[in-house]
Every structure is written in structure tokens, then in C-alpha cells.
Amino acid sequence: MKIDRTVIKSLPLFDRMQDDELDRLLQHASSRRVPQGETVFEQGSPALSFYLLLHGRLKVTQVTPDGQQIIVRVVHPGDLFGFAKALQRPDYPGTAIAAAESVTLGWPTDLWPNFVEHNPRLAVSAMQTIGQRLEEAHMRIREMSTQEVERRVAHTILRLARKAGRREETGIRIDFPISRQDIAEMTGTTLHTVSRILSAWEGKGLVEGGRQKLLVKDAAALEELAEAVKERN
Amino acid sequence: MKIDRTVIKSLPLFDRMQDDELDRLLQHASSRRVPQGETVFEQGSPALSFYLLLHGRLKVTQVTPDGQQIIVRVVHPGDLFGFAKALQRPDYPGTAIAAAESVTLGWPTDLWPNFVEHNPRLAVSAMQTIGQRLEEAHMRIREMSTQEVERRVAHTILRLARKAGRREETGIRIDFPISRQDIAEMTGTTLHTVSRILSAWEGKGLVEGGRQKLLVKDAAALEELAEAVKERN
DNA sequence: CGTATTCTTGACTTATATCAATGTCGGTGG
DNA sequence: CCACCGACATTGATATAAGTCAAGAATACG
């Protein structure tokens, strides 16, 4: 697939890169359109490539030995993903599935050392990404250890609004299809509980739901819910 | 403090390193004895050094904004820790506190680039460590999302036995002082629940408790508990 | 020894899962 | 084009795991 240079140059990761440098980089890359519901790679398969998300939205999931699924993270445009090999893993630890129609850019894994050597900014950025990833994981562990479901859902939705929100007249729209089940898998609860919580919020005018849709109408109030120190009343 | 070469050479990380190379490395390192209960560094303070644990056992904790504490991980001898700067963080994300009397080896953070450049094995090892760290975090998220407390505690204790176990006549001793509260903070529960679970296990002869003590008497049975697919009976 | 941690155990409460039924949306094919 | 089907969502009733509250016992320590 033909690679669109302008899209790439708009990403913070590449905006200050020379044209010839960029060309060298893209030379070995291949672009791919991933329709909604299809996977980029699957848990356990050999890590042959690492990727950059150009467009769309991916969910990275893991399945536990006994068949339960969780969503490890959401990949947003501009994010590097699938660089298992950089962490000395031979295979992908999770499955990357397109939540919305997406476009990825992929490089063969063996190019990674080369990649970072010639592009120190990328090396730094990759490290940063991994560091953030680790922090996010710890944040989630903290939340799951100490907060009740409602607060966790509030946090999760606020993070989504920040990373995948699009302003609309009446609020912030989560800009890709997301189900109650998805939110449950991100917060460690069941779709039933998520549904109840969202219904309650909708009653109070904080959000507006819909089939695979979510609109945050009152982020400030959600923020408050998320931070609220538990108090008896 | 004088640095003991033989201890360092016994670590897998350094065992194949040349003597002169090792000398160069140790030249800038400083060793420190950390009495039980004291900290190596604290959450939020500037990341001036990165460390290697030579001896003892550390707990890395984080405190949430509202004052709850969790144990992020346990540092075992031979582990690198506190390399926040490598992940482009200016400060330590957690507090490292000695669970038992410990000895650390520390280098100034600015030496990190140098460190990895001259020691590719270390660079690889560091990457591996971070990758493992991330995986462990995801494993914990998976566990907290999908498993009941008893199974999580079983998993946690088995991992401790693996990483910090010492064979004894009657079982595997967790080789550093660990309280019920600690286990609770590692599994995302309360010390009460941990206490009840351990009492129950003690009744069945699986473990033997004690003040800040833990002996695993029947690892196989614990394993079974940990893996057990939930079934109604 | 007495004082302070750490641990245990019981009684009670509650958040959240589970079970079950029904409703609603949106795409597909007749 | 509309009816139907499957996926997604809602909502009530009930169960239960685990938290909270409370008291006391055991152990270590100065």
C-alpha cells in the first residue's frame, strides 16, 4: 500500500525529521489497511514486525488461560505498538484488533536495532513509551487495588475522552466504537455493572450512551467522581 | 563502603564480564548498607542514581493521592532497580524500602548512557528487565480483573517462594520478613482477608504462618489452588 | 515487664457478581 | 423496503465474596 508522507509528518514523533531520513525509514515500512474487527497480530504468534498506528484505533487484548479476556490498552494514532522484540520477547503478548477501521505502518523486527541507532529521537521516544506503559499499568493496579468500580470507570472514561475525544456541541464524543463490555474489560468488572453505572450517570446528565457510543457531557462532574475521597453521607 | 567483587561476580548479570571491565564499572559505583526499614530512595524525589541490589530484599511501594499504599514489586538480589531516568522520568515513581537488611550498589544516573553503551549485555538485560516488569504488571492486572482473592494470594505466595524461597526440612521458607499487610498490599485486598485465608490454609497444612514469617509446606496444593478453574460444588 | 506491633477471629454490611428476562438498535437478505 | 436476526444493552432479583467494625490474643522489643 502506498504510504502517505503528510500523515506521517504530522505525527510528533516524526515532525522534526529530515526528508531523506524519513525516506530511509519508510523504505522498509509497509502500510496496511485494517478493517474493523480484524487483527494486526495475535497473542502468542512470533513477533515479526513492529508497528506505528497511522489512523484509526486498536484494542490490545489478552486472554487468560481459562478464557477470560481483558483489554490491556487502547492504541491511538501516532503510537508505536507491537515492539515485543525490543523487550527481548519472541512473540506478541497480546492481540491487536481494530476497534475502528485503521491504517498501520509496519517494519520487520530485525530492523529495530538499526531503527533506534540511526534515530536517537525514536530510541528515546520508544523508551518513553515503554516507561509510560509501565506507569499506566501501575496506575491501573493502584486503581484496582484501592478504588471502587464507579471511580475506576470514571477514570477510564476520562482517559478515553482525553486520548480519543472529539469536541461536539453537547460534549466530548469518544471517537471510536466502544461497547459496555469493552469498558468492563478495561476496568476489571462486568458489562452489567458498567451498564448500571452509565445508566445512573445518564440520569444525572453526565454522559449520553448508545450502542457502542459514548458522549461525555460533564467532564468536570466525572472528574469529581473520579477523585472523590470516599465519604459516608 | 568497600565493594565486594566476589558477590558481584556471582550475579548472572556480571559473571561473564572481564575483570578490567568490571573494575571500570565499579569505579563509579558506591555501595551502601541499608538497615531494615530504611529507604534507598523515595517516591517523587529526583532520580539521581540507579541501583543494583547485592544483598537483602526491598519492597517498592507507591502511595495513592488519598493515602492508600500498594507494593509495586519486591526487589531481589541481582535485580536492577530505580532506573527511572532510563525511562525518561526525572523522579522515582515509588519508594524503595528495605524489608530486610540490604546492600545496594548505586551509580549516578548520568552514567546510564555510558553504562549501556560500553556494556551491551547490560543494555539487553535492562531491556529484558523492563519487559518483564511490564509483563508482571499485566499479569497482575489480569489476575485482579479475573480471579478471586484466594487465588491471587496463592499466586503471589508461589511467586515469592520461587524468587525468595529457601528450602527447609518441612517446606520452603519465604526468606525475608513479610507481614499479612504486605501480602494484602501485593494482592489488592485487606490484611483481614489475607489472615483468614492463611489461617484456613494453615488448617489444611498448606502453609505455616507466624509473625512476619511464612513457610510453604505444600507448594503443589497451592499451585492447584492458584490454577483451579472455578467450579461449583 | 509493659508497651507496641502484628495477627486472629467473629459479627455484620455492602459492593458487585451472577442469574434471568426483556428491550432495542442496526444491518442483511428476502 | 421492511421484517427479522443477532449483537448489544438495560434492568430486576438474588447471591456471595470480601470489606468494615470491633475486640482480643500472641509475639517481639526496649
Side-chain angles (χ1 to χ4, degrees), chain B residues 4-37:
Chain B
D4 184 354
R5 277 267 224 63
T6 63
V7 173
I8 295 169
K9 285 218 105 178
S10 74
L11 299 173
L13 194 58
F14 297 95
D15 61 354
R16 276 194 292 172
M17 192 172 284
Q18 312 277 11
D19 271 14
D20 57 336
E21 187 61 39
L22 194 60
D23 280 341
R24 257 226 306 267
L25 220 65
L26 295 183
Q27 202 179 320
H28 302 101
S30 56
S31 178
R32 179 179 155 209
R33 189 188 140 271
V34 187
Q36 186 174 133

Short mmCIF file of all heavy atoms in Angstrom, two decimals, chain B residues 4-37:
data_model
loop_
_atom_site.label_atom_id
_atom_site.label_comp_id
_atom_site.label_asym_id
_atom_site.label_seq_id
_atom_site.Cartn_x
_atom_site.Cartn_y
_atom_site.Cartn_z
N ASP B 4 32.48 -5.52 47.42
CA ASP B 4 32.92 -6.91 47.38
C ASP B 4 32.78 -7.48 45.97
O ASP B 4 31.69 -7.69 45.47
CB ASP B 4 32.07 -7.73 48.37
CG ASP B 4 32.54 -9.17 48.44
OD1 ASP B 4 33.43 -9.54 47.65
OD2 ASP B 4 32.01 -9.90 49.29
N ARG B 5 33.91 -7.71 45.35
CA ARG B 5 33.94 -8.19 43.97
C ARG B 5 33.31 -9.57 43.81
O ARG B 5 32.60 -9.82 42.83
CB ARG B 5 35.38 -8.27 43.49
CG ARG B 5 35.91 -6.96 43.00
CD ARG B 5 35.71 -6.81 41.49
NE ARG B 5 36.91 -6.28 40.87
CZ ARG B 5 38.08 -6.90 40.86
NH1 ARG B 5 38.21 -8.08 41.42
NH2 ARG B 5 39.10 -6.34 40.28
N THR B 6 33.58 -10.42 44.76
CA THR B 6 33.12 -11.80 44.59
C THR B 6 31.61 -11.89 44.57
O THR B 6 31.03 -12.67 43.80
CB THR B 6 33.67 -12.71 45.71
OG1 THR B 6 33.16 -12.26 46.97
CG2 THR B 6 35.18 -12.67 45.74
N VAL B 7 30.95 -11.08 45.39
CA VAL B 7 29.49 -11.08 45.41
C VAL B 7 28.96 -10.71 44.03
O VAL B 7 28.06 -11.34 43.49
CB VAL B 7 28.94 -10.08 46.45
CG1 VAL B 7 27.43 -9.98 46.34
CG2 VAL B 7 29.35 -10.48 47.85
N ILE B 8 29.56 -9.66 43.46
CA ILE B 8 29.10 -9.17 42.17
C ILE B 8 29.32 -10.19 41.07
O ILE B 8 28.46 -10.41 40.23
CB ILE B 8 29.80 -7.84 41.84
CG1 ILE B 8 29.38 -6.79 42.87
CG2 ILE B 8 29.46 -7.38 40.44
CD1 ILE B 8 30.17 -5.54 42.83
N LYS B 9 30.49 -10.81 41.12
CA LYS B 9 30.79 -11.79 40.07
C LYS B 9 29.85 -13.00 40.11
O LYS B 9 29.72 -13.73 39.14
CB LYS B 9 32.25 -12.26 40.18
CG LYS B 9 33.23 -11.22 39.68
CD LYS B 9 34.39 -11.86 38.95
CE LYS B 9 34.27 -11.69 37.46
NZ LYS B 9 35.37 -12.24 36.69
N SER B 10 29.23 -13.20 41.24
CA SER B 10 28.33 -14.35 41.35
C SER B 10 26.97 -14.06 40.70
O SER B 10 26.17 -14.97 40.49
CB SER B 10 28.14 -14.72 42.82
OG SER B 10 27.29 -13.78 43.46
N LEU B 11 26.70 -12.79 40.38
CA LEU B 11 25.42 -12.46 39.75
C LEU B 11 25.47 -12.79 38.26
O LEU B 11 26.45 -12.49 37.59
CB LEU B 11 25.13 -10.96 39.93
CG LEU B 11 25.00 -10.48 41.38
CD1 LEU B 11 24.87 -8.98 41.41
CD2 LEU B 11 23.84 -11.15 42.07
N PRO B 12 24.40 -13.36 37.76
CA PRO B 12 24.37 -13.74 36.35
C PRO B 12 24.65 -12.56 35.43
O PRO B 12 25.24 -12.71 34.36
CB PRO B 12 22.93 -14.25 36.15
CG PRO B 12 22.23 -14.12 37.45
CD PRO B 12 23.21 -13.74 38.49
N LEU B 13 24.25 -11.40 35.88
CA LEU B 13 24.42 -10.20 35.07
C LEU B 13 25.90 -9.89 34.79
O LEU B 13 26.26 -9.31 33.77
CB LEU B 13 23.77 -9.01 35.81
CG LEU B 13 23.52 -7.73 35.04
CD1 LEU B 13 22.65 -7.99 33.83
CD2 LEU B 13 22.90 -6.69 35.94
N PHE B 14 26.76 -10.31 35.69
CA PHE B 14 28.17 -9.92 35.59
C PHE B 14 29.13 -11.08 35.43
O PHE B 14 30.33 -10.88 35.30
CB PHE B 14 28.58 -9.12 36.83
CG PHE B 14 27.84 -7.84 36.98
CD1 PHE B 14 26.70 -7.77 37.78
CD2 PHE B 14 28.26 -6.70 36.32
CE1 PHE B 14 26.00 -6.58 37.90
CE2 PHE B 14 27.57 -5.51 36.45
CZ PHE B 14 26.44 -5.44 37.24
N ASP B 15 28.59 -12.28 35.46
CA ASP B 15 29.50 -13.42 35.59
C ASP B 15 30.46 -13.60 34.41
O ASP B 15 31.52 -14.16 34.56
CB ASP B 15 28.72 -14.72 35.87
CG ASP B 15 27.77 -15.04 34.73
OD1 ASP B 15 27.64 -14.22 33.82
OD2 ASP B 15 27.14 -16.10 34.77
N ARG B 16 30.04 -13.09 33.25
CA ARG B 16 30.95 -13.28 32.12
C ARG B 16 31.72 -12.01 31.76
O ARG B 16 32.24 -11.89 30.65
CB ARG B 16 30.16 -13.80 30.91
CG ARG B 16 29.97 -15.32 30.97
CD ARG B 16 29.52 -15.83 29.63
NE ARG B 16 28.17 -15.38 29.34
CZ ARG B 16 27.58 -15.56 28.15
NH1 ARG B 16 28.22 -16.16 27.18
NH2 ARG B 16 26.35 -15.13 27.95
N MET B 17 31.75 -11.12 32.71
CA MET B 17 32.42 -9.85 32.42
C MET B 17 33.91 -9.93 32.77
O MET B 17 34.30 -10.53 33.75
CB MET B 17 31.75 -8.74 33.24
CG MET B 17 32.18 -7.34 32.80
SD MET B 17 31.19 -6.08 33.61
CE MET B 17 29.68 -6.19 32.70
N GLN B 18 34.72 -9.27 31.92
CA GLN B 18 36.17 -9.23 32.17
C GLN B 18 36.45 -8.46 33.46
O GLN B 18 35.72 -7.56 33.82
CB GLN B 18 36.87 -8.50 31.02
CG GLN B 18 36.48 -8.95 29.64
CD GLN B 18 37.23 -10.20 29.21
OE1 GLN B 18 37.90 -10.85 30.02
NE2 GLN B 18 37.09 -10.54 27.94
N ASP B 19 37.59 -8.78 34.07
CA ASP B 19 37.94 -8.11 35.32
C ASP B 19 38.15 -6.61 35.13
O ASP B 19 37.69 -5.81 35.94
CB ASP B 19 39.22 -8.73 35.91
CG ASP B 19 38.87 -9.89 36.83
OD1 ASP B 19 37.70 -10.36 36.77
OD2 ASP B 19 39.74 -10.33 37.59
N ASP B 20 38.81 -6.24 34.04
CA ASP B 20 39.08 -4.81 33.85
C ASP B 20 37.79 -4.04 33.56
O ASP B 20 37.60 -2.93 34.01
CB ASP B 20 40.11 -4.59 32.73
CG ASP B 20 39.66 -5.21 31.42
OD1 ASP B 20 38.83 -6.15 31.47
OD2 ASP B 20 40.11 -4.75 30.36
N GLU B 21 36.92 -4.71 32.83
CA GLU B 21 35.62 -4.11 32.52
C GLU B 21 34.85 -3.88 33.82
O GLU B 21 34.27 -2.81 34.06
CB GLU B 21 34.83 -5.07 31.61
CG GLU B 21 33.52 -4.53 31.07
CD GLU B 21 33.69 -3.30 30.22
OE1 GLU B 21 34.66 -3.23 29.44
OE2 GLU B 21 32.86 -2.37 30.36
N LEU B 22 34.87 -4.89 34.64
CA LEU B 22 34.18 -4.82 35.92
C LEU B 22 34.74 -3.69 36.77
O LEU B 22 33.99 -2.93 37.39
CB LEU B 22 34.34 -6.17 36.65
CG LEU B 22 33.43 -6.43 37.84
CD1 LEU B 22 31.97 -6.38 37.43
CD2 LEU B 22 33.75 -7.78 38.47
N ASP B 23 36.07 -3.57 36.74
CA ASP B 23 36.72 -2.50 37.51
C ASP B 23 36.23 -1.14 37.06
O ASP B 23 35.90 -0.28 37.87
CB ASP B 23 38.24 -2.58 37.35
CG ASP B 23 38.83 -3.65 38.26
OD1 ASP B 23 38.13 -4.03 39.22
OD2 ASP B 23 39.95 -4.10 38.00
N ARG B 24 36.18 -0.97 35.75
CA ARG B 24 35.73 0.30 35.21
C ARG B 24 34.32 0.64 35.70
O ARG B 24 34.01 1.78 36.03
CB ARG B 24 35.69 0.21 33.67
CG ARG B 24 36.85 0.90 32.97
CD ARG B 24 36.34 1.74 31.81
NE ARG B 24 35.52 0.94 30.92
CZ ARG B 24 35.99 0.32 29.84
NH1 ARG B 24 37.25 0.40 29.51
NH2 ARG B 24 35.18 -0.40 29.08
N LEU B 25 33.52 -0.40 35.73
CA LEU B 25 32.13 -0.23 36.15
C LEU B 25 32.03 0.15 37.62
O LEU B 25 31.29 1.05 38.01
CB LEU B 25 31.40 -1.56 35.93
CG LEU B 25 29.99 -1.49 35.38
CD1 LEU B 25 30.03 -0.93 33.98
CD2 LEU B 25 29.40 -2.88 35.37
N LEU B 26 32.82 -0.57 38.40
CA LEU B 26 32.70 -0.39 39.85
C LEU B 26 33.35 0.90 40.32
O LEU B 26 33.05 1.41 41.39
CB LEU B 26 33.36 -1.58 40.57
CG LEU B 26 32.64 -2.90 40.33
CD1 LEU B 26 33.29 -4.01 41.12
CD2 LEU B 26 31.17 -2.78 40.70
N GLN B 27 34.22 1.42 39.48
CA GLN B 27 34.93 2.66 39.80
C GLN B 27 33.96 3.78 40.20
O GLN B 27 34.22 4.54 41.12
CB GLN B 27 35.68 3.06 38.53
CG GLN B 27 36.85 3.97 38.73
CD GLN B 27 37.48 4.23 37.37
OE1 GLN B 27 37.60 3.32 36.55
NE2 GLN B 27 37.86 5.48 37.13
N HIS B 28 32.86 3.86 39.49
CA HIS B 28 31.92 4.95 39.76
C HIS B 28 30.76 4.53 40.66
O HIS B 28 29.87 5.32 40.93
CB HIS B 28 31.34 5.48 38.44
CG HIS B 28 32.38 5.98 37.51
ND1 HIS B 28 32.82 5.24 36.44
CD2 HIS B 28 33.10 7.13 37.50
CE1 HIS B 28 33.76 5.91 35.80
NE2 HIS B 28 33.95 7.07 36.42
N ALA B 29 30.79 3.29 41.08
CA ALA B 29 29.69 2.81 41.91
C ALA B 29 29.98 3.03 43.37
O ALA B 29 31.13 3.07 43.80
CB ALA B 29 29.48 1.32 41.65
N SER B 30 28.92 3.20 44.12
CA SER B 30 29.13 3.25 45.57
C SER B 30 28.15 2.30 46.24
O SER B 30 26.98 2.21 45.90
CB SER B 30 28.95 4.67 46.09
OG SER B 30 27.70 5.16 45.72
N SER B 31 28.70 1.58 47.17
CA SER B 31 27.94 0.57 47.88
C SER B 31 27.37 1.17 49.16
O SER B 31 27.96 2.07 49.74
CB SER B 31 28.86 -0.60 48.20
OG SER B 31 28.17 -1.58 48.92
N ARG B 32 26.23 0.64 49.55
CA ARG B 32 25.62 1.19 50.76
C ARG B 32 24.85 0.10 51.49
O ARG B 32 24.16 -0.71 50.88
CB ARG B 32 24.67 2.32 50.36
CG ARG B 32 23.96 2.92 51.54
CD ARG B 32 23.04 4.06 51.11
NE ARG B 32 21.98 4.20 52.11
CZ ARG B 32 20.76 4.66 51.85
NH1 ARG B 32 20.44 5.00 50.60
NH2 ARG B 32 19.87 4.76 52.81
N ARG B 33 24.99 0.11 52.80
CA ARG B 33 24.26 -0.83 53.63
C ARG B 33 22.96 -0.15 54.04
O ARG B 33 22.98 0.99 54.51
CB ARG B 33 25.11 -1.16 54.87
CG ARG B 33 24.55 -2.28 55.71
CD ARG B 33 25.34 -2.41 57.01
NE ARG B 33 24.43 -2.69 58.12
CZ ARG B 33 23.83 -1.75 58.84
NH1 ARG B 33 24.08 -0.48 58.63
NH2 ARG B 33 23.00 -2.09 59.82
N VAL B 34 21.85 -0.84 53.85
CA VAL B 34 20.55 -0.25 54.20
C VAL B 34 19.89 -1.10 55.27
O VAL B 34 19.48 -2.23 55.02
CB VAL B 34 19.62 -0.20 52.97
CG1 VAL B 34 18.36 0.57 53.29
CG2 VAL B 34 20.33 0.40 51.77
N PRO B 35 19.81 -0.57 56.49
CA PRO B 35 19.20 -1.34 57.58
C PRO B 35 17.71 -1.54 57.32
O PRO B 35 17.09 -0.73 56.62
CB PRO B 35 19.39 -0.45 58.81
CG PRO B 35 20.37 0.59 58.42
CD PRO B 35 20.25 0.75 56.94
N GLN B 36 17.19 -2.60 57.88
CA GLN B 36 15.77 -2.91 57.73
C GLN B 36 14.90 -1.69 58.07
O GLN B 36 15.14 -1.03 59.07
CB GLN B 36 15.42 -4.07 58.67
CG GLN B 36 14.01 -4.57 58.49
CD GLN B 36 13.71 -5.81 59.33
OE1 GLN B 36 12.69 -5.89 59.99
NE2 GLN B 36 14.61 -6.78 59.33
N GLY B 37 13.95 -1.41 57.20
CA GLY B 37 13.02 -0.31 57.46
C GLY B 37 13.47 1.02 56.88
O GLY B 37 12.67 1.94 56.78
#
